[in-house]
Amino acid sequence: MAGPSKKAKSDIALTPKRKRTFIETWKTQFPWVRCVDDIMFCELCREYPSIADHNSKLYEGVTGSKRIETLQSHESSKYHLLCIKRKEVTEKGTGPMFVALKKQAENMDDQLKPMFNTAFYVAKPKLPFRSFEGLIELQEKNGIKMQTQYRNDKGCKAFVQAIAEVEKDRVSEDLKTSRFFALMGDGSTDISVTEQENVYVRYVKDGLPTTEFIDIMAVKSADANGVLAALLEALHHVDLTDGDIKKNIIACTFDGASVNQAGAVAPRCHQSH
């Protein structure tokens, strides 16, 4: 029996990634989250608009893919914590206490900031997360006040994940507001000799060319179909829809790919989307 045609294989490779939907059990861990008409938002922050951060994704409402990392990042954000304190104060009816609680939240933010910076310092040169605790203790000896929580390798991982989520949201927003972008792929292998594609985008921001890394994708097959599927999945990770890609992509460049791969992927990435 004859196998699937080349067109059928191409259609399979071009199938868009399944959209991440809201999971009802998230309400148990994050009792303030709601999802109405496929829009995920923080009910608590919307209850106190004079305090909440209006630029927060969960204040505006998330209409695209829903990720638990977005909820985790929002949960520890300064203005969300203020809304929680305001809720507690309002229910208890102790208005003057709110001023003290607000100050406490601000002090917590001041202590968390150096921990975020330390986590970034650990992550950038790929230091082990277990080095985080020692760096925190060193800064305390130098007179910097630090939180008593989140001081271990798990805390470092949480900070790095939150930073990554913020950076991914920033790049996603830049790409959605940019008139066009170019896609760049760099083929490589990891320590297990698994084919990977490092994916970058290049666009114009504030009149200047900008290059951003968006993801490292495992390539299921080292042919044109496999590379193309990895590239499109990476673009979906920054919330670009097929319509966004079709409308704004203007060029594709590749390093580490054979001439045949690059020649096959580039036109199809542009024409098929």
Side-chain angles (χ1 to χ4, degrees):
M1 185 175 67
S5 66
K6 290 184 178 180
K7 183 178 185 304
K9 290 182 179 179
S10 176
D11 290 341
I12 293 172
L14 295 175
T15 301
K17 185 182 178 183
R18 180 177 62 86
K19 179 180 177 182
R20 299 185 185 183
T21 58
F22 182 81
I23 300 175
E24 288 294 326
T25 54
W26 287 347
K27 292 181 179 179
T28 302
Q29 185 177 355
F30 309 100
W32 37 263
V33 70
R34 297 290 180 269
C35 191
V36 179
D37 296 331
D38 201 35
I39 300 175
M40 183 173 74
F41 60 93
C42 176
E43 183 180 51
L44 180 60
C45 287
R46 288 188 173 185
E47 185 176 348
Y48 301 105
S50 62
I51 301 173
D53 178 8
H54 290 214
N55 294 321
S56 167
K57 290 183 67 174
L58 280 169
Y59 184 88
E60 297 176 347
V62 177
T63 57
S65 294
K66 281 74 175 175
R67 297 187 177 94
I68 192 171
E69 291 85 355
T70 304
L71 302 177
Q72 292 170 337
S73 176
H74 183 78
E75 182 181 39
S76 59
S77 65
K78 173 181 177 178
Y79 293 100
H80 176 74
L81 292 173
L82 288 176
C83 289
I84 290 177
K85 297 302 183 183
R86 179 59 180 270
K87 181 72 172 178
E88 293 173 353
V89 170
T90 301
E91 290 180 348
K92 294 178 181 179
T94 54
M97 182 68 70
F98 174 68
V99 177
L101 290 172
K102 181 179 178 181
K103 183 64 177 178
Q104 181 182 4
E106 291 173 347
N107 290 337
M108 180 182 295
D109 183 68
D110 290 340
Q111 293 174 17
L112 285 175
K113 184 176 179 179
M115 298 184 82
F116 270 101
N117 290 337
T118 305
F120 180 82
Y121 174 86
V122 168
K124 188 173 182 180
K126 301 177 183 178
L127 297 176
F129 284 169
R130 62 178 179 272
S131 64
F132 180 73
E133 186 172 0
L135 291 170
I136 294 299
E137 292 175 354
L138 174 61
Q139 292 178 84
E140 281 189 321
K141 289 182 179 179
N142 289 330
I144 300 176
K145 291 184 178 181
M146 311 292 268
Q147 268 288 315
T148 56
Q149 297 176 312
Y150 317 115
R151 303 168 68 101
N152 54 21
D153 57 338
K154 293 181 180 179
C156 184
K157 180 181 178 181
F159 285 125
V160 171
Q161 288 177 333
I163 293 170
E165 186 69 19
V166 170
E167 285 298 295
K168 185 175 290 186
D169 290 343
R170 178 184 61 78
V171 174
S172 175
E173 185 63 26
D174 285 348
L175 287 172
K176 285 183 176 296
T177 57
S178 179
R179 294 176 57 190
F180 51 82
F181 69 90
L183 178 65
M184 298 185 291
D186 183 8
S188 64
T189 56
D190 64 9
I191 194 171
S192 64
V193 200
T194 300
E195 290 287 339
Q196 293 183 320
E197 197 72 22
N198 302 317
V199 186
Y200 303 81
V201 288
R202 189 168 174 82
Y203 54 93
V204 175
K205 181 178 181 181
D206 298 328
L208 297 174
T210 301
T211 302
E212 294 283 359
F213 168 79
I214 58 174
D215 219 326
I216 300 177
M217 303 301 301
V219 179
K220 294 182 180 179
S221 59
D223 56 12
N225 282 346
V227 174
L228 178 59
L231 294 172
L232 294 177
E233 185 176 1
L235 292 175
H236 292 149
H237 284 180
V238 288
D239 295 330
L240 286 181
T241 66
D242 291 343
D244 296 329
I245 299 170
K246 180 178 180 181
K247 178 182 177 182
N248 295 335
I249 192 168
I250 60 169
C252 298
T253 60
F254 302 93
D255 185 20
S258 70
V259 174
N260 290 337
Q261 283 180 329
V265 171
R268 289 167 56 194
C269 188
H270 179 71
Q271 294 173 4
S272 299
H273 285 263

